Amino acid sequence: MNLIKDNHSEPTAVGKIGGKAQSLFQLIQHGFRVPKFLVIPVEESLRFIPQQLRIEKNYNAIRSCIETVQFPEMWSEEMLAHFPTTRFFAVRSSATDEDGGNFSFAGQFETKLFVSPNELEQAIKAVWLSAWSERVQQYREFNKLEPPAGIAVIIQEMIDADVAGVAFSINPISGHRKQQVISAVYGLGEGLVSGELDADTFTVEDQKIVEQQIAQKTHRISFDTASQTGTKLVDVEQTRQAVVSLNTEQVLKLASDLQHLQKLYQRPVDIEFAFAQNTFYLLQARPVTTINRLADPQGEYVVWDNSNIIESYPGLSSPLTFSFILCMYEAVYLQFSSMMGISEKERNAHANTYANMLGLLDGRVYYNLRSWYKLLSLLPGYSLNAGFMEKMMGVKERFELHDYVPRTKFRERTRILNMIGIMIGNMRRLPKMRRDFEADFEAVMQRFEKINFHTCDAWTLMRLYMEFEQTLLKKWKAPLVNDFFAMIWYGTLQKLTLKYKLDENGTLHNDLLCGAKDIISTEPVQRCKKMVLLIRENPDALKLFEEASVGIWAKLDDQKYRAIKTEMDAYISKWGDRTVGELKLETITYRQQPELLVRVLQSYLRQNSFTQAEQHLDQKLRSAAEQIVQEKLRGKLFKKLFFNYALRKTRDLVSNRENLRFARTRGFGMVRRIFLALGERFYAEDLVDHPRDIFWLKKEEVFDFIQGTSPSRNLRTTITLRKNEYTEFEKRYTAERIPTRGIVYQANDFAYTPQTEAALAGDLKGIGCCPGRIRARIRVVHNPHEVDDLAGDILVTASTDPGWVTLFPTASAILVERGSLLSHSAIVSREMGIPCIVGITGLLQRVKTGDLVEMDGSSGEIKLITS
């Protein structure tokens, strides 16, 4: 038999002696005291097994072969010669993949303790047999591991321990990376590992014992070892009440050794140890295999929130979309900060904050609240601005910046005065900034509209994108300033409504914003009405739209449909990029697939009339609210003047906020066209399997591949990996608010946690956006393309974006789980006079299609009606 002894000096491969044995050799080499041992290598366990049985995975036959093995007498003599004074042995497994960084195989293989010399043969066989046992095969199958390739056996001197235990170089429960946890019992450590004995547990941090739990030592454990000479009972009593198994010096030594071993292994470790006659023995050491499932509780704390941004990026967003918007957010908010007087030095010091305004969790876009609040803290009046931002973004709970250091009163007042001056200047220049932005943006769009991207090569398309990107970034001041002031004035109007006691519920400001006729987002509905009217006036067209299900768009080229086709072409020319998920580059829009617009018109034709939008409810609500303000502020001149000024500002800013968002839609549409052309070019060059595969790559990866700066030449491998990951992401439902610690993608739970029964009891409540009391059945819709029309049902969904607007007129009311008072659904519903409530926690858990509810768009209350 080939034996490898503990004085063996040559490096030995894991494949020959297994992970546990190799670890013992490493410990000796680094000066740790390890009980005397030798190793029977893997090859010896295969000597008696025909290869054909292993190929066939005939484990029953393999076990039979092992059971019939007869050891030559010389083998036993050679083994025992290495242990001249040893009375009992520990016989342990050492598989090639045991005690590795990923899988420990803890408790899977056989271990024999207090083995007498006469029992060694049977103990070795027991370990060999365990490698082919049913439980090990199940463990391998569960973890998708290869079939066994034999197993090495460690024969080790059995230490008659006074105290033994296990220890971890990190806290295995909390994941604390700077704590060591040590558990010890009197006698053998097997009593601890098996659960037979209660242990003393010590937690150490910075070489100080920060916590200790001392067990009541009343248990007794016996190891019964059969031998040819009889039976030996080895008793370990735990009867020392209130006695600590390890003293402080021993605990701190263990903690120090654990830190040393962690550096040696370059990762956290767990060990088994023993003290015998005040001598410390290290029995084994291995990497902690659960480290990738333990978040670091002391790591960087970040909260992610998608309450509002889910409107713009519903569901999964492609890697290309995220890489594009991440750099856009960074650039525009650096520009915004500059405009607000934040110095270049401060901006540079917080470069990482600007670069991480967003996150991508399981394929979904989230706000990084730490970055947003950090950015706000650079402006004076942090607490006030934070409140305004929370309302605008729909953030329900403030993220506390623990590293925020308030400025001195003098410095804060100085900055406030400076900021007031900047804000007054920006506010005064804003109308001109908007006009200049619209003129410049339109000029750029017209120039790019003339380019035939399909004839451009990859280098040209890349340069065109970079030129367009810079154009967007440099000319985005007006939307940024308008958004900021919309946040400020909307919050101010709401506060004044409460302060002046104009409305007990504090929702009157929503009514005052109803009926604005200058919001461009409602134009698609009006244009759709016009097209529907043209179709109804043309009998042939009406028959075509009512009876045909496919191919309608191609048939509209017929001369008799010219007026309809002209109107539809004009709609697509202007509104072709306004659709569900319009800010996601991978979205298929009306511009690429006009048949989607045909479906919308067919749904309108099936209705006898539009619902709330036809009834001028918006104007009635606005007039009634204005009358209340006039009556309650009669005789209060200054309050009335200031309130009306705030109202005018809010109306102007909110309307323009929605209108300027359409410029963003068109800009993103142009970027989409450029990348679609790049996808076609990559497909033509046989670099990808489909033109739309371009969306599975980050824009940096696309450009690196073109320019020769990519670390990989195989795009297909990356695309396949991403597709597989997103298939898994699609099955998950992530939470609205996600706290993470340490490395974001390590062990942090992104999953949505259902509300408790208590939280889900009773009726629902959200943020009332447009008043009106509606009692009707609900229709849960996850994608507007999945329904033709709502036929007066109440629309219920998780979130909406501008692309949903064509579905709004078919609903009697709108209920949205996510969102804020400045969400698209809130603004457009007010414009259209459709009762609406947003920000309804637990909505989709509580209701289903067909449920009868009564909603109040003023108070935000929703009653669930059981009959």
Side-chain angles (χ1 to χ4, degrees):
M1 179 181 286
N2 179 24
L3 300 176
I4 301 174
K5 301 173 183 177
D6 53 14
N7 55 9
H8 184 77
S9 58
E10 296 297 323
T12 306
V14 172
K16 188 172 183 178
I17 62 172
K20 186 179 294 184
Q22 189 187 57
S23 176
L24 292 177
F25 280 110
Q26 285 181 317
L27 294 174
I28 290 174
Q29 290 168 8
H30 287 84
F32 290 96
R33 186 187 297 273
V34 175
K36 199 172 187 63
F37 71 94
L38 58 76
V39 182
I40 303 174
V42 172
E43 62 197 47
E44 295 296 336
S45 72
L46 303 175
R47 184 191 296 271
F48 314 102
I49 304 172
Q51 187 174 3
Q52 187 61 32
L53 294 181
R54 291 161 51 198
I55 293 173
E56 295 172 356
K57 299 182 181 179
N58 190 339
Y59 298 144
N60 288 332
I62 290 173
R63 289 193 289 269
S64 295
C65 290
I66 294 173
E67 287 169 350
T68 59
V69 169
Q70 294 294 320
F71 287 14
E73 187 175 338
M74 59 179 290
W75 288 9
S76 296
E77 291 176 356
E78 184 179 359
M79 284 188 285
L80 293 175
H82 188 63
F83 304 95
T85 61
T86 301
R87 295 176 56 211
F88 295 101
F89 301 90
V91 180
R92 304 178 187 273
S93 61
S94 183
T96 56
D97 41 11
E98 183 180 9
D99 285 358
N102 297 318
F103 303 99
S104 67
F105 280 85
Q108 299 302 310
F109 300 115
E110 199 67 40
T111 294
K112 295 293 184 181
L113 302 180
F114 283 101
V115 177
S116 70
N118 295 330
E119 299 167 323
L120 277 175
E121 180 177 329
Q122 290 303 315
I124 293 168
K125 283 185 182 182
V127 175
W128 282 351
L129 285 167
S130 69
W132 308 94
S133 67
E134 185 176 342
R135 71 169 182 260
V136 170
Q137 306 323 311
Q138 291 175 347
Y139 183 91
R140 289 185 178 279
E141 289 173 8
F142 180 81
N143 291 292
K144 298 179 174 60
L145 300 175
E146 294 294 324
I151 191 169
V153 178
I154 301 170
I155 301 173
Q156 192 171 34
E157 177 187 8
M158 188 74 210
I159 299 298
D160 188 10
D162 299 317
V163 175
V166 297
F168 299 82
S169 65
I170 65 167
N171 191 314
I173 305 301
S174 70
H176 197 309
R177 277 19 180 208
K178 295 182 179 180
Q179 289 184 343
Q180 297 81 48
V181 177
I182 300 158
S183 293
V185 296
Y186 282 108
L188 298 174
E190 287 298 314
L192 170 62
V193 174
S194 67
E196 291 275 356
L197 299 178
D198 294 329
D200 295 339
T201 300
F202 308 86
T203 303
V204 180
E205 185 176 347
D206 296 328
Q207 284 302 103
K208 296 178 182 177
I209 299 175
V210 296
E211 183 181 355
Q212 63 181 29
Q213 297 176 349
I214 308 305
Q216 295 296 314
K217 302 170 180 63
T218 58
H219 290 73
R220 180 184 186 92
I221 182 170
S222 298
F223 294 93
D224 190 351
T225 59
S227 67
Q228 294 179 355
T229 59
T231 299
K232 173 180 176 59
L233 282 177
V234 182
D235 292 342
V236 179
E237 290 191 22
Q238 289 218 329
T239 56
R240 304 172 176 84
Q241 293 283 351
V243 176
V244 182
S245 57
L246 295 174
N247 59 41
T248 300
E249 182 182 352
Q250 290 171 322
V251 170
L252 297 183
K253 172 182 171 44
L254 276 164
S256 177
D257 285 347
L258 284 165
Q259 294 174 70
H260 179 59
L261 285 166
Q262 180 164 307
K263 291 179 181 178
L264 172 63
Y265 280 78
Q266 296 184 315
R267 60 190 307 174
V269 297
D270 71 70
I271 66 171
E272 292 183 21
F273 66 89
F275 282 93
Q277 298 180 352
N278 292 323
T279 300
F280 173 66
Y281 292 91
L282 198 50
L283 305 181
Q284 72 173 32
R286 62 191 177 197
V288 174
T289 56
T290 58
I291 184 66
N292 63 340
R293 299 194 292 273
L294 291 171
D296 183 0
Q298 302 303 306
E300 189 82 3
Y301 180 61
V302 179
V303 173
W304 310 86
D305 191 289
N306 73 349
S307 304
N308 185 263
I309 202 170
I310 195 174
E311 277 201 344
S312 300
Y313 304 97
L316 303 181
S317 294
S318 71
L320 183 61
T321 290
F322 183 72
S323 64
F324 169 62
I325 63 175
L326 187 64
C327 83
M328 290 294 290
Y329 269 76
E330 177 184 11
V332 297
Y333 281 99
L334 276 169
Q335 186 179 169
F336 171 76
S337 298
S338 176
M339 294 172 59
M340 288 296 164
I342 298 175
S343 68
E344 183 178 2
K345 181 180 179 181
E346 282 186 293
R347 297 198 304 272
N348 291 338
H350 292 87
N352 193 58
T353 298
Y354 291 100
N356 291 279
M357 305 295 287
L358 304 175
L360 191 67
L361 307 186
D362 283 355
R364 295 163 175 87
V365 179
Y366 280 77
Y367 286 129
N368 180 334
L369 290 189
R370 179 178 176 80
S371 291
W372 283 90
Y373 280 90
K374 197 78 175 175
L375 174 58
L376 276 182
S377 72
L378 301 179
L379 299 170
Y382 166 66
S383 297
L384 182 64
N385 289 333
F388 288 147
M389 184 199 74
E390 286 156 4
K391 291 187 181 299
M392 182 176 179
M393 292 171 56
V395 175
K396 297 173 182 176
E397 182 181 342
R398 178 163 297 187
F399 176 85
E400 296 297 338
L401 277 178
H402 296 295
D403 56 350
Y404 171 64
V405 180
R407 303 177 187 91
T408 63
K409 289 184 178 180
F410 175 77
R411 189 181 176 200
E412 182 71 359
R413 288 170 182 170
T414 302
R415 287 174 67 98
I416 288 175
L417 290 173
N418 181 55
M419 178 64 68
I420 290 172
I422 292 172
M423 290 175 66
I424 291 173
N426 283 330
M427 194 71 192
R428 182 175 53 82
R429 291 189 296 270
L430 182 56
K432 184 178 185 304
M433 290 170 65
R434 288 196 296 243
R435 291 192 300 271
D436 291 346
F437 167 78
E438 290 166 354
D440 292 344
F441 181 78
E442 196 61 39
V444 171
M445 289 297 294
Q446 288 180 8
R447 181 164 65 84
F448 272 77
E449 289 280 1
K450 297 175 183 178
I451 300 172
N452 185 350
F453 298 126
H454 303 289
T455 63
C456 299
D457 63 27
W459 279 89
T460 302
L461 289 167
M462 179 181 68
R463 292 187 180 112
L464 285 170
Y465 166 80
M466 291 178 175
E467 179 186 350
F468 189 76
E469 179 189 80
Q470 288 304 306
T471 300
L472 282 178
L473 298 181
K474 290 178 180 178
K475 298 182 181 298
W476 216 254
K477 294 181 181 178
L480 286 171
V481 174
N482 191 91
D483 265 12
F484 179 73
F485 283 119
M487 176 183 78
I488 298 297
W489 282 107
Y490 185 89
T492 300
L493 181 67
Q494 185 181 32
K495 285 180 177 293
L496 290 175
T497 303
L498 292 170
K499 183 178 180 180
Y500 294 168
K501 298 181 180 179
L502 303 179
D503 178 39
E504 292 181 359
N505 296 322
T507 59
L508 184 71
H509 58 294
N510 290 331
D511 298 6
L512 291 166
L513 296 177
C514 280
K517 295 305 178 185
D518 54 353
I519 295 181
I520 198 171
S521 294
T522 58
E523 184 180 326
V525 175
Q526 304 307 319
R527 297 282 289 266
C528 284
K529 289 182 185 180
K530 182 178 179 181
M531 287 184 278
V532 168
L533 183 60
L534 288 173
I535 294 169
R536 289 191 184 279
E537 291 174 348
N538 186 322
D540 291 331
L542 183 60
K543 183 178 179 181
L544 176 66
F545 273 80
E546 287 181 341
E547 297 181 0
S549 57
V550 294
I552 294 177
W553 178 254
K555 294 176 182 178
L556 290 176
D557 287 330
D558 193 303
Q559 185 66 20
K560 59 186 176 183
Y561 305 127
R562 185 173 64 178
I564 297 169
K565 182 65 159 50
T566 299
E567 188 63 30
M568 292 180 72
D569 284 340
Y571 182 96
I572 290 174
S573 176
K574 181 174 182 180
W575 296 99
D577 294 310
R578 171 131 290 183
T579 186
V580 178
E582 62 189 25
L583 299 185
K584 300 199 296 186
L585 301 182
E586 64 274 15
T587 294
I588 298 175
T589 65
Y590 299 143
R591 193 180 300 280
Q592 286 118 44
Q593 195 171 323
E595 291 84 357
L596 295 174
L597 178 58
V598 171
R599 283 189 57 190
V600 171
L601 297 178
Q602 285 181 308
S603 72
Y604 285 164
L605 284 166
R606 277 190 284 269
Q607 302 174 99
N608 294 324
S609 63
F610 290 85
T611 56
Q612 296 287 348
E614 300 271 9
Q615 301 172 16
H616 306 293
L617 176 62
D618 52 347
Q619 291 297 320
K620 295 177 183 177
L621 292 170
R622 181 175 175 133
S623 297
E626 289 173 344
Q627 185 63 35
I628 291 173
V629 172
Q630 291 297 319
E631 291 177 359
K632 293 203 172 184
L633 293 182
R634 184 176 287 116
K636 302 174 182 177
L637 179 61
F638 292 108
K639 287 185 178 180
K640 184 177 181 179
L641 288 173
F642 184 58
F643 186 87
N644 286 335
Y645 178 77
L647 177 59
R648 288 196 303 273
K649 285 295 182 184
T650 305
R651 283 175 171 171
D652 174 67
L653 291 162
V654 170
S655 293
N656 276 287
R657 178 178 185 264
E658 195 66 18
N659 296 342
L660 290 168
R661 288 180 69 175
F662 182 52
R664 182 181 61 174
T665 299
R666 295 176 64 199
F668 277 50
M670 186 61 69
V671 171
R672 180 183 294 113
R673 281 185 261 177
I674 294 172
F675 277 107
L676 279 170
L678 268 169
E680 292 171 1
R681 179 57 50 203
F682 276 30
Y683 177 70
E685 300 292 339
D686 196 28
L687 300 173
V688 296
D689 294 329
H690 192 282
R692 290 185 61 81
D693 281 351
I694 198 79
F695 296 116
W696 295 106
L697 302 169
K698 296 167 61 178
K699 71 179 181 68
E700 295 83 5
E701 292 170 334
V702 173
F703 297 154
D704 285 346
F705 195 85
I706 294 171
Q707 299 177 106
T709 53
S710 172
S712 172
R713 297 183 63 176
N714 190 337
L715 296 178
R716 284 185 170 91
T717 300
T718 301
I719 290 167
T720 299
L721 174 64
R722 301 257 169 86
K723 286 181 177 179
N724 291 337
E725 285 188 313
Y726 270 63
T727 298
E728 292 302 311
F729 293 160
E730 187 71 50
K731 301 173 185 176
R732 303 172 189 172
Y733 183 54
T734 57
E736 176 180 343
R737 185 181 177 94
I738 300 173
T740 62
R741 284 282 190 182
I743 299 173
V744 174
Y745 294 140
Q746 180 189 8
N748 286 294
D749 186 10
F750 302 160
Y752 173 74
T753 303
Q755 301 286 321
T756 63
E757 290 185 8
L760 292 176
D763 296 323
L764 293 163
K765 185 170 175 58
I767 304 169
C769 299
C770 184
R773 189 181 293 273
I774 300 293
R775 182 186 177 111
R777 300 284 175 185
I778 68 167
R779 186 93 62 90
V780 176
V781 181
H782 299 288
N783 186 317
H785 296 318
E786 70 190 37
V787 295
D788 293 325
D789 66 79
L790 295 168
D793 286 344
I794 295 175
L795 169 63
V796 171
T797 189
S799 64
T800 68
D801 65 17
W804 287 69
V805 70
T806 52
L807 193 61
F808 281 10
T810 71
S812 58
I814 301 167
L815 303 177
V816 186
E817 187 171 59
R818 309 284 180 87
S820 67
L821 286 165
L822 290 182
S823 298
H824 167 80
S825 50
I827 293 173
V828 175
S829 67
R830 287 194 294 266
E831 166 68 11
M832 300 175 72
I834 302 175
C836 177
I837 303 173
V838 302
I840 311 164
T841 301
L843 174 64
L844 294 180
Q845 281 184 270
R846 298 290 306 281
V847 300
K848 62 184 183 299
T849 294
D851 286 352
L852 182 64
V853 304
E854 183 175 300
M855 60 85 70
D856 187 336
S858 292
S859 65
E861 295 175 348
I862 304 148
K863 292 185 178 180
L864 308 180
I865 300 170
T866 56
S867 60

